[in-house]
Amino acid sequence: MGNGNEFCRPRLIRFSDCDPAGIVFYPQYFVMLNGLVEDWVNEGLGLSYHGLVAQRRIGLPTVKLEVDFRAVSRMGDQVMLGLAVERLGSRSMTLRVRCFDPADGEVRMQMQQVLVTTSLETHRAVAIPADMRAAIVRNAPELG
């Protein structure tokens, strides 16, 4: 399914994801992939996304996106969403996030996304929390 340390989750393309042409309306990919980031923090890293944001007051805003739309996804398609960390900085991380066909591996869309860890009190960048950094490196030792 995924490559190496890629965190993957299946996703059904729903009616609500699509435009009148019957294909995914591109902003819906951003909603789907934001949900994947939450799942990755919860399940892939073994942390609590809710705890990170609501209790610890650490945000993960996107500061940069580079997106390639390669093929259409239609209502009823069963796709796979994948996330891998490409770079781990002191206060930011670069992710490779994609939507692909699990049967043949065809990439429907792919993006490089830079997230910054911020204080939700000051809205300034802060160090990636130690437990989050350790979990990322545990899943992708080459980043340590």
Side-chain angles (χ1 to χ4, degrees), residues 21 23-24 33-34 36 49 58 62-64 73 87 96 117 119 122 124 130 132 138 140:
I23 61 176
V24 171
L33 295 170
N34 191 71
L36 182 67
Y49 189 85
I58 300 291
T62 297
V63 297
K64 183 177 180 184
S73 294
R87 183 185 163 282
R96 181 181 49 80
T117 47
S119 160
T122 66
R124 295 187 195 272
M132 180 177 232
R138 191 167 46 251

Side-chain angles (χ1 to χ4, degrees), residues 17-78:
D17 297 324
C18 298
D19 63 18
I23 61 176
V24 171
F25 180 46
Y26 74 92
Q28 294 299 333
Y29 277 120
F30 302 135
V31 175
M32 286 180 225
L33 295 170
N34 191 71
L36 182 67
V37 170
E38 288 188 39
D39 292 346
W40 171 67
V41 170
N42 288 327
E43 301 166 34
L45 299 182
L47 303 173
S48 166
Y49 189 85
H50 176 264
L52 192 68
V53 173
Q55 294 158 356
R56 297 167 68 180
R57 305 293 292 150
I58 300 291
L60 291 172
T62 297
V63 297
K64 183 177 180 184
L65 283 175
E66 279 187 38
V67 186
D68 292 311
F69 298 98
R70 298 185 178 180
V72 300
S73 294
R74 293 178 172 81
M75 183 176 62
D77 285 356
Q78 188 64 245

